[in-house]
């Protein structure tokens, strides 16, 4: 059989290029040729050994664009030559969540690059029902739709509305996409982070303000100054640390909404009565839904979000180890 190359993380801190067999076409599937793949925070966590859902060895990657090179007969319009992206969250279809249509939080969820091998191979096989037409979006922008979906789904979980004051804690890729999604909904959006560089990028993308603070008191003062002492209507945690979750609880208005999209391993000694005192709504946000992909492909095509600004660098497959090493501490 024809062979191909794959990027593999055999153990934390190590990246290899492995020779694999190219997948064969099977019923209900299509063979995709990878065009661009983004290194997600979870991929970097797998590399560093800090990602909650990581196991080894693992082919990383779940945000990507690809060309359809073969496709089994289907009535979804998926055919060779199409430039596409795909939904990488595999659900069981049998658990209570799946039966209620909440497939993004399947109790046996397997996300590509996390609980199962991912997209960082020259060719992959995907079920046709998971494949979405890019509708002419450039392949590099199309690879950014999946991480945009993660932030956008968190915005939807928090029921962000026009006029809401929203704080996104964390100016990495997912936090940046959450900020974009909240701006699309007409909110006033602020971003908090320790990195002056990342906050500078957030400003350049048109958010309404930033908070750069390394201590609790100055953070609370900045929140009070921005909100007139009222707190934010919605706070989105996009880091995955106990301290940043606490930031969101502290910054939320009475009867505010807090959305947790960051993933971490640490626990928090938390004065939970604050939830009752402030009558907060707390939401977890996991993965995304087909509708999120379809909505954002259209939104990016219509120029409602400048996703290209998220790209920091582009590497060929042969430089995979270098890519992970260079971004390990960002």
């Amino acid at each position: 059989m024809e062979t191909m190359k794959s990027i593999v993380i055999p153990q934390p801190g190590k990246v290899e290029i492995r020779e694999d067999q190219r997948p064969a076409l099977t019923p209900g599937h299509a063979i995709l040729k990878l065009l661009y793949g983004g290194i997600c925070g979870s991929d970097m966590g797998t590399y560093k050994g800090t990602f909650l859902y990581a196991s080894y060895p693992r082919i990383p990657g779940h945000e990507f664009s690809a060309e359809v090179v073969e496709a089994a007969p289907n009535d979804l319009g998926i055919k060779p030559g199409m430039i596409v992206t795909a939904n990488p969250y595999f659900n069981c279809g049998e658990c209570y969540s799946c039966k209620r249509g909440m497939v993004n939080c399947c109790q046996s969820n397997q996300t590509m690059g996390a609980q199962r091998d991912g997209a960082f191979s020259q060719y992959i096989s995907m079920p046709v029902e998971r494949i979405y037409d890019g509708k002419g979006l450039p392949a590099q922008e199309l690879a950014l739709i999946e991480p945009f979906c993660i932030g956008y789904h968190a915005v939807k979980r928090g029921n962000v509305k026009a006029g809401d004051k929203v704080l996104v804690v964390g100016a990495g890729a997912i936090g940046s996409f959450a900020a974009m999604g909240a701006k699309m909904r007409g909110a006033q959006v602020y971003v908090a982070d320790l990195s002056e560089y990342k906050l500078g990028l957030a400003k350049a993308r048109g958010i309404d303000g930033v908070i750069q603070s390394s201590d609790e008191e100055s953070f609370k003062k900045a929140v009070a100054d921005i909100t007139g002492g009222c707190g934010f209507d919605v706070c989105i945690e996009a880091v995955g640390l106990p301290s940043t979750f606490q930031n969101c609880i502290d910054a939320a208005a009475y009867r505010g909404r807090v959305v947790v999209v960051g993933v971490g391993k640490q626990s928090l000694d938390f004065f939970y009565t604050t939830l009752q005192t402030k009558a907060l709504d707390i939401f977890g946000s996991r993965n995304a839904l087909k509708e999120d992909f379809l909505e954002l492909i259209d939104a990016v095509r219509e120029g409602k979000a400048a996703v290209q600004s998220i790209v920091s660098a582009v590497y060929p497959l042969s430089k995979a180890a270098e890519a992970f090493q260079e971004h390990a501490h960002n």
Side-chain angles (χ1 to χ4, degrees), residues 74-79 82:
N74 66 89
D75 57 3
L76 299 174
I78 303 301
K79 56 187 178 182
M82 293 177 66

Side-chain angles (χ1 to χ4, degrees), residues 148 151-153 155-156 160 175-187 189 296 304-305:
F148 196 175
Y152 181 67
H153 189 76
V155 167
K156 292 169 73 173
V160 172
S176 297
F177 280 127
M180 287 184 190
K183 286 297 292 182
M184 282 170 50
R185 290 195 157 206
V189 182
L296 289 181
K304 294 180 180 178

Side-chain angles (χ1 to χ4, degrees), residues 20 46 58 65 126 143 178 210 214 217 241 255-256 292 310 319:
D20 282 322
T46 300
R58 179 63 64 220
S65 60
M126 284 291 292
V210 300
S214 59
E217 290 308 312
L241 291 174
R255 200 62 181 90
D292 300 320
I310 299 292
K319 300 288 186 181

Side-chain angles (χ1 to χ4, degrees), residues 233-249:
D233 300 295
V234 183
C235 294
I236 300 175
E237 197 288 320
V239 179
L241 291 174
S243 60
T244 49
F245 175 73
Q246 185 69 62
N247 287 156
C248 288
I249 297 298

Side-chain angles (χ1 to χ4, degrees), residues 245-246 249-250 268-277:
F245 175 73
Q246 185 69 62
I249 297 298
D250 293 340
L268 172 65
D269 184 5
F270 175 61
F271 186 64
Y272 68 88
T273 303
T274 303
L275 307 183
Q276 184 271 339
T277 301

Side-chain angles (χ1 to χ4, degrees), residues 121-306:
S121 298
Q122 290 177 306
Y123 296 90
I124 61 172
S125 176
M126 284 291 292
V128 290
E129 71 268 12
R130 294 185 165 274
I131 298 172
Y132 309 133
D133 182 6
K135 297 184 177 180
L137 273 182
Q140 197 174 106
E141 292 188 14
L142 190 56
L144 297 167
I145 292 296
E146 189 278 338
F148 196 175
C149 284
I150 299 297
Y152 181 67
H153 189 76
V155 167
K156 292 169 73 173
R157 285 285 285 156
N159 192 29
V160 172
K161 303 183 297 295
D164 279 345
K165 276 192 170 70
V166 175
L167 176 66
V168 178
V169 178
I174 301 305
S176 297
F177 280 127
M180 287 184 190
K183 286 297 292 182
M184 282 170 50
R185 290 195 157 206
Q188 298 177 49
V189 182
Y190 298 78
V191 176
D193 202 283
L194 296 179
S195 169
E196 183 176 355
Y197 173 72
K198 290 181 180 179
L199 292 178
L201 294 177
K203 289 179 183 177
R205 297 183 189 116
I207 56 99
D208 295 279
V210 300
I211 298 175
Q212 184 181 22
S213 174
S214 59
D215 66 272
E216 182 180 343
E217 290 308 312
S218 61
F219 176 81
K220 288 182 177 180
K221 183 180 184 304
V223 169
D225 289 344
I226 291 169
T227 66
C230 297
F232 286 91
D233 300 295
V234 183
C235 294
I236 300 175
E237 197 288 320
V239 179
L241 291 174
S243 60
T244 49
F245 175 73
Q246 185 69 62
N247 287 156
C248 288
I249 297 298
D250 293 340
Y254 279 64
R255 200 62 181 90
R257 284 110 60 202
V258 174
V259 185
V260 179
V261 66
V263 178
K265 287 185 174 182
Q266 300 177 47
S267 60
L268 172 65
D269 184 5
F270 175 61
F271 186 64
Y272 68 88
T273 303
T274 303
L275 307 183
Q276 184 271 339
T277 301
K278 297 177 83 169
L280 297 176
D281 289 335
I282 310 294
F283 300 93
S285 182
R286 188 176 188 187
N287 298 336
L289 295 167
K290 177 179 180 178
E291 65 191 49
D292 300 320
F293 283 84
L294 301 183
E295 289 171 13
L296 289 181
I297 288 171
D298 287 340
V300 174
R301 286 180 67 244
E302 294 163 9
K304 294 180 180 178

